[in-house]
């Protein structure tokens, strides 16, 4: 190795920087995530030479931020973005291969191109697909190509020089992993390259006030391919996710400098692209499980929107050794806690029962408001007793078995009412609804004894 180059090792999971390689990241404990990164002496010098003094500005002299957002009119996308695309911002859309990143990018291109003026344009940089493949997708989506230009290129210098000539109003990059710079010694696709290319796009975006959307691939466990290490460079990070069994695609922001990160966008993958689901209240409820014990309906809040969902539990006698607890879509530790509370605070014996818990529809939830529904699902399966489908169950369960208040109870009940539910089992609070029959419970014991 030449004298001017030194190596550091960067964890693709937590972004820790280590001087030595090891099989396991010393910071986050993930295995096999350390990737070599090279710092050339030129970069080192650049880091040292910090000669120009920074400017200190008076806050009162700065005008307030007026965000002239570009609305895509894909309402779910706009909402997750906090109202549209902010000019000059860099947005990363990350997701597994095949999830629909190129599709959503094509749809954004189309929607924005409909709105910009005749002499403006959008540039789509495709490092993965040829022009023919790209056009095929657009044809499939029934799109016209007004104001849209395609660059099939992976060299970031060439791309930016072309972009500079075109002066687009929006830049779309599919995908950042394929872009490389000839100025760097490391190979295309390495973290150094991906980061460098991202910074180049960022510089261009900020300098010219052009919004840029980058697509980044992640692997099944959300690692390796690099988007994690880009998260602090870009302004907004969106994840496009799905579950195996259904066509739904969930879009969530994990970082947003120009909006909240609580909103969830829901799309359905159809033959003609991603369709927004504007009223998703009950899409995660399965009709088929209506007459099966162990299934209970509850409601979570995602951002400002309530979603009804179904909690399913299956108990079976432990054949050998310790009782098993398995959860999908729900925190396993939380399940252990709830199972212990049930055993200790009610007459139910779970010490010789395996418990499997599933959140139907592939949602991953962390809202404590479903605690009581989880408890009722377990006892419903154990007692082989069906919980009425027209009943919604809400409440956090404390270690003493007490049923605690949940946030936004009114909104959740209003959604249930709208979807035709008849009864609500809720914590012992002052609640008023017009149609729902309200059943207040103080403890989990009271709830399982009655339902
Ligand atoms: P794509 O956007 O290429 O995924 P990514 O860029 O994230 O890898 O789309 C992936 C899948 O979506 C692909 O299997 C085909 C399917 N698809 C549809 O079902 N309908 C459509 O209209 C389009 C464009 C794609
Ligand atoms: Mg793609």
């Amino acid at each position: 190795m030449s004298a001017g180059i030194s190596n550091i090792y960067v964890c693709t999971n937590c972004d820790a920087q280590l001087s030595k390689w090891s099989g396991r990241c010393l910071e986050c404990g993930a295995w096999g995530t350390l990737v070599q990164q090279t710092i050339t002496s030129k970069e080192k010098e650049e880091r040292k030479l910090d000669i120009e003094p920074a400017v200190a500005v008076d806050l009162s002299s700065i005008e307030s931020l007026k965000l002239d957002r570009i609305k895509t009119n894909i309402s779910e996308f706009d909402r997750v973005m906090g109202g549209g695309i902010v000019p000059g911002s860099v947005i990363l859309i990350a997701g597994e291969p095949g999830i629909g990143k190129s599709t959503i990018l094509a749809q954004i291109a189309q929607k924005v191109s409909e709105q910009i003026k005749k002499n403006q344009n959008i540039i789509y940089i495709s490092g993965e697909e040829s022009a023919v493949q790209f056009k095929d997708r657009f044809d499939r989506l029934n799109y016209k190509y007004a104001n849209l230009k395609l660059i099939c290129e992976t060299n970031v210098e060439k791309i930016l020089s072309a972009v500079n000539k075109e002066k687009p109003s929006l830049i779309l990059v599919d995908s950042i992993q394929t872009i490389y710079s000839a100025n760097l010694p490391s190979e295309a696709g390495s973290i150094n390259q991906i980061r460098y290319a991202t910074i180049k796009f960022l510089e261009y975006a900020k300098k010219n006030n052009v919004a840029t959307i980058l697509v980044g691939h992640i692997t099944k466990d959300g690692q390796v391919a690099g988007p994690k290490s880009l998260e602090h460079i870009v302004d907004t990070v969106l994840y496009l996710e799905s579950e195996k069994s259904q066509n739904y695609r969930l879009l969530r922001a994990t970082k947003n400098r120009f909006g909240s990160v609580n909103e969830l966008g829901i799309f359905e993958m159809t033959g003609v692209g991603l369709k927004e689901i504007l009223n998703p209240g009950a899409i995660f409820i399965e009709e088929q499980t209506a007459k099966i014990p162990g299934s209970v309906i509850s409601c979570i809040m995602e951002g400002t929107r309530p979603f009804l969902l179904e909690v399913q539990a299956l108990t079976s006698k432990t054949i050998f050794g310790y009782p098993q607890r398995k959860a999908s879509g729900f925190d396993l530790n939380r399940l252990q806690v709830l199972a212990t509370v049930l055993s200790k605070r009610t007459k139910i014996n779970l010490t010789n029962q395996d418990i499997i818990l599933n959140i139907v529809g592939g949602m991953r939830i962390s809202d404590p408001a479903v605690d009581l529904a989880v408890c009722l699902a377990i006892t419903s399966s154990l007692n082989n007793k069906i919980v009425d489908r027209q009943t919604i169950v809400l409440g956090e369960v404390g270690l003493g078995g007490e049923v605690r208040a949940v946030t936004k109870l009114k909104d959740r009940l209003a959604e249930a009412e709208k979807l035709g539910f008849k009864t609500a089992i809720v914590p012992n609070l002052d609640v008023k609804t017009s149609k729902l029959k309200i059943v207040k419970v103080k403890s989990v014991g009271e709830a399982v004894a009655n339902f």
Side-chain angles (χ1 to χ4, degrees):
M1 188 178 292
S2 72
I5 297 179
S6 59
N7 286 326
I8 54 168
Y9 297 89
V10 177
C11 173
T12 53
N13 187 42
C14 71
D15 215 30
Q17 302 190 340
L18 307 172
S19 59
K20 273 197 194 132
W21 188 87
S22 76
R24 188 175 191 205
C25 173
L26 301 179
E27 291 291 329
C28 70
W31 287 95
T33 55
L34 291 190
V35 186
Q36 180 174 332
Q37 218 181 52
T38 309
I39 308 175
T40 60
S41 54
K42 190 163 153 260
E43 277 178 66
K44 275 190 196 160
E45 261 163 43
E46 277 173 8
R47 285 184 190 186
K48 261 189 235 154
L49 290 178
D50 189 20
I51 30 172
E52 219 176 283
V55 187
V57 287
D58 223 333
L59 266 186
S60 57
S61 69
I62 301 172
E63 273 185 50
S64 300
L65 188 65
K66 280 195 202 74
L67 298 177
D68 229 350
R69 295 174 188 261
I70 307 170
K71 280 226 179 334
T72 60
N73 291 337
I74 303 170
S75 55
E76 291 295 274
F77 177 80
D78 286 345
R79 206 164 42 76
V80 173
M81 289 289 295
I85 304 169
V86 175
S89 68
V90 176
I91 299 134
L92 174 71
I93 300 183
E96 291 169 17
I99 198 88
K101 300 180 296 300
S102 303
T103 308
I104 197 165
L105 217 56
Q107 289 181 249
I108 292 167
Q110 165 72 9
K111 287 286 188 186
V112 175
S113 74
E114 279 171 7
Q115 297 169 48
I116 56 178
K117 296 191 192 93
K118 277 237 165 60
N119 52 359
Q120 295 177 318
N121 61 32
I122 296 171
I123 289 203
Y124 195 113
I125 295 145
S126 176
E128 284 183 2
E129 292 167 318
S130 66
V132 180
Q133 282 175 311
F134 176 80
K135 196 157 188 267
D136 181 58
R137 174 176 295 115
F138 268 59
D139 287 340
R140 180 169 174 183
L141 297 171
N142 265 333
Y143 284 169
K144 306 172 202 80
Y145 321 96
N147 304 347
L148 181 64
K149 291 211 169 153
L150 176 69
I151 299 178
C152 287
E153 177 58 63
T154 52
N155 179 312
V156 71
E157 283 82 23
K158 281 192 194 171
I159 291 171
L160 285 176
S161 132
V163 164
N164 204 21
K165 251 191 227 151
E166 299 286 344
K167 301 254 175 297
S169 341
L170 178 66
I171 303 170
L172 307 168
V173 183
D174 191 4
S175 66
I176 192 67
Q177 270 100 356
T178 58
I179 312 290
Y180 77 99
S181 163
N183 297 344
L184 284 192
S186 41
E187 65 204 276
S190 68
I191 290 223
N192 268 359
Q193 286 282 11
I194 297 173
R195 218 187 267 205
Y196 184 83
T198 306
I199 290 171
K200 285 288 152 199
F201 281 114
L202 185 82
E203 282 170 5
Y204 185 88
K206 299 286 172 219
K207 206 164 140 202
N208 298 283
N209 202 29
V210 183
T212 304
I213 305 183
L214 312 173
V215 158
H217 292 293
I218 55 169
T219 51
K220 288 253 179 287
D221 45 1
Q223 289 182 7
V224 184
K228 268 268 183 282
S229 64
L230 300 182
E231 286 189 352
H232 55 266
I233 305 178
V234 300
D235 296 304
T236 303
V237 181
L238 305 179
Y239 275 86
L240 192 60
E241 310 166 330
S242 82
E243 353 69 47
K244 317 279 151 339
S245 58
Q246 287 175 348
N247 276 335
Y248 295 119
R249 300 285 184 273
L250 312 179
L251 185 72
R252 33 173 124 238
T254 57
K255 167 181 177 179
N256 194 352
R257 288 199 177 130
F258 305 105
S260 98
V261 290
N262 294 325
E263 295 295 342
L264 175 72
I266 301 193
F267 296 90
E268 188 177 9
M269 184 59 102
T270 68
V272 283
L274 291 161
K275 278 226 162 65
E276 306 131 85
I277 298 187
L278 299 177
N279 226 335
I283 58 170
F284 297 112
I285 298 178
E286 290 270 359
E287 277 313 311
Q288 295 90 313
T289 44
K291 295 204 169 65
I292 301 174
S295 159
V296 175
I297 314 264
S298 187
C299 179
I300 56 163
M301 295 300 293
E302 283 282 350
T304 50
R305 278 202 305 196
F307 287 93
L308 267 68
L309 52 76
E310 182 175 337
V311 178
Q312 279 187 321
L314 188 61
T315 54
S316 74
K317 200 154 185 301
T318 306
I319 306 283
F320 175 76
Y322 291 116
Q324 303 273 323
R325 310 279 184 249
K326 291 210 162 64
S328 95
F330 192 77
D331 182 27
L332 186 59
N333 285 335
R334 190 75 201 144
L335 174 60
Q336 312 261 30
V337 170
L338 292 174
T340 312
V341 170
L342 273 175
S343 298
K344 188 90 186 160
R345 306 289 175 201
T346 70
K347 295 197 181 78
I348 289 156
N349 180 12
L350 293 167
T351 50
N352 60 351
Q353 294 288 331
D354 292 345
I355 304 173
I356 302 168
L357 190 78
N358 178 38
I359 305 299
V360 176
M363 290 287 271
R364 263 177 284 132
I365 55 171
S366 54
D367 191 336
V370 299
D371 283 358
L372 187 59
V374 169
C375 293
L376 281 186
I378 293 170
T379 52
S380 160
S381 172
L382 190 70
N383 301 333
N384 219 7
K385 206 173 129 197
I386 294 167
V387 174
D388 176 31
R389 290 294 278 189
Q390 308 284 319
T391 301
I392 177 170
V393 180
L394 294 166
E396 182 179 343
V397 174
L399 291 185
E402 77 278 17
V403 175
R404 295 164 164 266
V406 301
T407 55
K408 305 228 170 88
L409 185 58
K410 233 168 119 189
D411 295 352
R412 300 181 204 243
L413 292 176
E415 181 73 16
E417 208 167 74
K418 201 171 92 193
L419 293 167
F421 280 75
K422 301 273 184 322
T423 314
I425 302 177
V426 297
N428 190 17
L429 298 168
D430 213 13
V431 276
K432 276 195 202 84
T433 51
S434 51
K435 292 193 211 112
L436 277 175
K437 183 180 155 227
I438 299 286
V439 182
K440 295 179 188 176
V441 287
K442 289 199 189 87
S443 70
V444 68
E446 192 184 333
V448 298
N450 292 316
F451 296 97

